[in-house]
Amino acid sequence: MLKNNRFIKQLFSSFLDLLPILVVVLFFQIAIIRQPIPDVAHLVTGTVLVILGLALFIQGLEQSLFPLGESMAYAFARKGSVFWLLTFAFCLGFGTTVAEPALIAISDEAARIASQGHIIGDSDNARKSYALGLRLTVALSVGVAILIGVLRIIRGWPLHYLIIGGYCVVTAITPFAPADIVGIAYDSGGVTTSTITVPLIAALGVGLATAIKGRNPMIDGFGLIAFASLTPMVFVMVYGMLR
């Protein structure tokens, strides 16, 4: 009964989260475009499904991904093996990113446009090779970012040094990167912040900061995602320069 009440509250919370989007869309459809809403039945059905899916997704995060990430980080910290902790951090960042649907879609689209612009060959193999190269590059960059982020938590390095230094590197290499890769590189940072990667990485950072004496979960545990969104810009521009 308690779980049912909690899920109902989550449904209502999901509806409130979605409400601003619905208000904006309905306002512009009715007041600005001044046209009737097409296929109201499908719109209502789709909205209900979105609310239900969002509620189930958040429920799943709270019951599985957050506890799993925190418990694994705590277990690695208690084990005392920095090597295996860093290996796990890299594999987590790489594995969750390389299979990210948004990254796959962006890579395929970038390969298609690059082929049309004669940047790469027009064959299927050339497009697949280009798309796979982008995916692996972004996944590698996120793996490295999480590894460095975990090392930061262990060593107690200030987060802003890494963020400021990273953006200085991005600014420095942008003029030397091929013009056709810069936009993809900048967008690749946003693609990495996926629905699976973010909860796991955030839970990893919080769990690790909780397990290490002298670390503050709020100050030291968060920030991994910001760094993970930054490194793909650097790696993809370097990838473009090396091709």
Side-chain angles (χ1 to χ4, degrees):
M1 187 67 179
L2 182 61
K3 288 184 177 180
N4 291 336
N5 290 336
R6 185 178 180 183
F7 184 68
I8 291 173
K9 289 181 180 179
Q10 188 62 64
L11 280 174
F12 183 70
S13 177
S14 298
F15 170 73
L16 292 180
D17 291 338
L18 195 63
L19 186 60
I21 301 175
L22 294 175
V23 170
V24 169
V25 171
L26 291 175
F27 172 77
F28 279 91
Q29 181 72 29
I30 297 173
I32 306 300
I33 301 178
R34 295 183 180 178
Q35 291 182 1
I37 300 173
D39 209 340
V40 177
H42 277 81
L43 177 64
V44 172
T45 303
T47 302
V48 171
L49 291 175
V50 169
I51 294 171
L52 181 61
L54 184 59
L56 289 172
F57 175 70
I58 295 174
Q59 191 82 6
L61 291 181
E62 293 177 351
Q63 290 186 4
S64 61
L65 291 186
F66 279 130
L68 177 64
E70 290 185 22
S71 63
M72 292 191 72
Y74 190 79
F76 275 113
R78 292 292 299 270
K79 187 178 178 66
S81 175
V82 175
F83 171 78
W84 285 114
L85 176 59
L86 295 179
T87 301
F88 170 70
F90 174 83
C91 292
L92 180 67
F94 183 90
T96 55
T97 305
V98 75
E100 165 58 31
L103 177 59
I104 295 173
I106 288 293
S107 299
D108 290 342
E109 182 66 11
R112 184 184 67 82
I113 295 174
S115 176
Q116 291 178 350
H118 305 292
I119 298 168
I120 61 174
D122 195 28
S123 65
D124 287 340
N125 288 336
R127 288 194 292 268
K128 289 179 180 178
S129 175
Y130 187 84
L132 180 61
L134 280 177
R135 282 178 59 196
L136 293 178
T137 300
V138 174
L140 179 64
S141 71
V142 175
V144 171
I146 303 307
L147 186 152
I148 296 174
V150 167
L151 190 60
R152 174 192 69 82
I153 295 174
I154 296 173
R155 300 297 185 188
W157 299 335
L159 175 64
H160 58 275
Y161 288 169
L162 293 178
I163 300 298
I164 294 173
Y167 277 108
C168 287
V169 173
V170 170
T171 303
I173 68 173
T174 296
F176 302 100
D180 55 83
I181 203 74
V182 172
I184 299 172
Y186 278 45
D187 282 347
S188 65
V191 173
T192 60
T193 54
S194 70
T195 53
I196 301 299
T197 306
V198 170
L200 274 174
I201 293 176
L204 173 67
V206 171
L208 186 59
T210 303
I212 299 176
K213 186 177 180 180
R215 297 288 179 268
N216 186 322
M218 288 298 295
I219 297 174
D220 300 310
F222 291 95
L224 288 176
I225 303 301
F227 195 58
S229 299
L230 188 157
T231 51
M233 303 182 199
V234 178
F235 276 61
V236 171
M237 282 191 283
V238 172
Y239 169 76
M241 288 187 283
L242 295 178
R243 278 189 61 86

